[in-house]
Amino acid sequence: MALTLFDTDEYRPPVWKSYLYQLQQEAPHPRRITCTCELTSLVRRATLKENEQIPKYEKIHNFKVHTFRGPHWCEYCANFMWGLIAQGVKCADCGLNVHKQCSKMVPNDCKPDLKHVKKVYSCDLTTLVKAHTTKRPMVVDMCIREIESRGLNSEGLYRVSGFSDLIEDVKMAFDRDGEKADISVNMYEDINIITGALKLYFRDLPIPLITYDAYPKFIESAKIMDPDEQLETLHEALKLLPPAHCETLRYLMAHLKRVTLHEKENLMNAENLGIVFGPTLMRSPELDAMAALNDIRYQRLVVELLIKNEDILF
């Protein structure tokens, strides 16, 4: 069966419905708009308009056992917290104080505060975007803008490594200054420093961009031989990602697709980028080293498929 474009109402933006209905009536086989068809400019504009809206990302609280100084009351049940030590738990991201038993009933409505979220690298992705009220981590946006402004023709882009000490400098600049970090050509002339900093950001994520929960479905898609079924499974795998992860992955794949358009100059096609970004974006939840090693070729293939079919899958 051919893969249909946004085959469920859940994934079809309302602004597309009347237009897609018109296409389906004109097509020889209704509802069989195949993967190979090109999106029209109208649909592309609708996509951009839809994606400009900042989605509401749900986030669970990051509770840790805490010893409170002085009297404290639970912010969920309003009862007193008894004891001298470890009276309750405190959310490390938003500062919410509750009893340990109450923490199991608190809704997933954590609103991270910048006074608690003090770093960019090694910070949970959803926590970071909620703290800064953005769609994607600012480090991803800023690095990609810098790379596209002066590095798309650089030979071996993303494959060539930058000087590790300078990459660490960029990391510290983001952790210290956030969106005010200076990564311009005046500070870092070598574009490989910026690509290295972007790759390091994804490697340092406590939960990978392609999450542990979604990982098996992505690997499953890479093992399927039939192209249509493969894309259907990959589309299903994308639904398993948290919104912040899916949006960041969409933005990154659109960027990597633009990198491949300069293949004659930078020598980086989708396969080469898959080799670089496969292990960077995906980490096996399996502790078995051999099982993780066997997955490397499928990780590469997943990223390659995402790049080649970016305009269809996202």
Side-chain angles (χ1 to χ4, degrees):
M1 182 180 71
L3 176 66
T4 55
L5 181 63
F6 297 112
D7 203 30
T8 65
D9 287 337
E10 176 186 357
Y11 262 74
R12 185 184 300 122
V15 292
W16 292 18
K17 286 188 176 179
S18 61
Y19 186 75
L20 286 180
Y21 178 78
Q22 180 182 347
L23 286 179
Q24 290 164 359
Q25 297 306 307
E26 295 173 356
H29 300 287
R31 296 191 64 79
R32 291 179 61 83
I33 303 174
T34 62
C35 298
T36 54
C37 72
E38 294 184 0
L39 295 175
T40 66
S41 59
L42 175 62
V43 176
R44 287 184 185 277
R45 286 196 297 271
T47 305
L48 290 173
K49 184 176 181 181
E50 188 89 6
N51 288 335
E52 282 303 312
Q53 303 172 5
I54 298 178
K56 295 180 180 179
Y57 298 155
E58 184 182 77
K59 182 189 178 307
I60 62 174
H61 290 274
N62 182 19
F63 286 120
K64 297 183 184 300
V65 176
H66 191 77
T67 297
F68 298 97
R69 295 182 179 180
H72 263 77
W73 285 262
C74 175
E75 295 178 40
Y76 180 76
C77 70
N79 289 321
F80 187 72
M81 290 184 174
W82 297 96
L84 298 177
I85 61 171
Q87 303 97 325
V89 293
K90 182 185 184 79
C91 178
D93 297 332
C94 71
L96 182 70
N97 306 317
V98 296
H99 289 113
K100 186 176 181 180
Q101 60 269 31
C102 289
S103 68
K104 301 173 184 178
M105 299 177 284
V106 173
N108 297 335
D109 58 354
C110 179
K111 298 177 178 61
D113 192 320
L114 286 176
K115 69 181 180 182
H116 297 291
V117 181
K118 297 181 179 179
K119 60 182 179 179
V120 173
Y121 280 68
S122 302
C123 176
D124 174 69
L125 193 150
T126 301
T127 299
L128 188 67
V129 299
K130 283 182 71 70
H132 289 269
T133 321
T134 56
K135 294 168 60 179
R136 299 171 296 271
M138 95 287 287
V139 61
V140 175
D141 280 18
M142 290 175 63
C143 287
I144 286 179
R145 281 199 301 267
E146 194 67 27
I147 293 163
E148 294 195 353
S149 69
R150 60 185 174 97
L152 287 178
N153 293 329
S154 178
E155 185 175 329
L157 188 68
Y158 286 113
R159 180 177 54 81
V160 176
S161 299
F163 190 47
S164 59
D165 285 353
L166 292 178
I167 293 174
E168 283 294 324
D169 284 347
V170 175
K171 173 182 176 178
M172 288 189 290
F174 275 116
D175 282 342
R176 181 183 63 248
D177 304 325
E179 59 188 13
K180 295 181 180 179
D182 184 2
I183 58 171
S184 66
V185 65
N186 297 328
M187 284 294 293
Y188 304 100
E189 184 178 356
D190 183 5
I191 196 62
N192 298 312
I193 302 299
I194 310 304
T195 60
L198 181 61
K199 289 186 292 183
L200 179 61
Y201 171 76
F202 288 120
R203 287 198 300 269
D204 278 359
L205 284 175
I207 300 175
L209 186 61
I210 293 178
T211 61
Y212 294 123
D213 289 341
Y215 182 91
K217 194 71 173 179
F218 277 94
I219 294 298
E220 177 190 338
S221 70
K223 296 179 179 180
I224 296 172
M225 301 303 296
D226 179 72
D228 289 341
E229 186 182 350
Q230 187 177 59
L231 285 180
E232 286 177 352
T233 306
L234 198 55
H235 185 252
E236 290 297 318
L238 288 169
K239 295 180 184 179
L240 301 176
L241 294 177
H245 286 249
C246 191
E247 166 58 21
T248 303
L249 183 63
R250 180 200 67 79
Y251 189 74
L252 177 64
M253 291 304 111
H255 162 64
L256 296 181
K257 186 71 170 284
R258 291 190 288 273
V259 170
T260 64
L261 298 179
H262 296 258
E263 180 187 349
K264 289 184 179 180
E265 294 80 21
N266 59 39
L267 306 181
M268 295 300 289
N269 56 23
E271 182 179 358
N272 293 336
L273 290 169
I275 293 172
V276 172
F277 277 94
T280 301
L281 305 181
M282 306 177 69
R283 295 198 296 272
S284 173
E286 295 288 338
L287 297 177
D288 182 13
M290 282 304 299
L293 191 62
N294 289 334
D295 281 353
I296 289 179
R297 66 181 184 275
Y298 297 117
Q299 294 172 355
R300 171 195 63 77
L301 185 56
V302 165
V303 175
E304 182 181 344
L305 288 168
L306 289 171
I307 295 172
K308 288 181 176 179
N309 299 283
E310 169 268 330
D311 56 341
I312 298 169
L313 292 168
F314 295 97

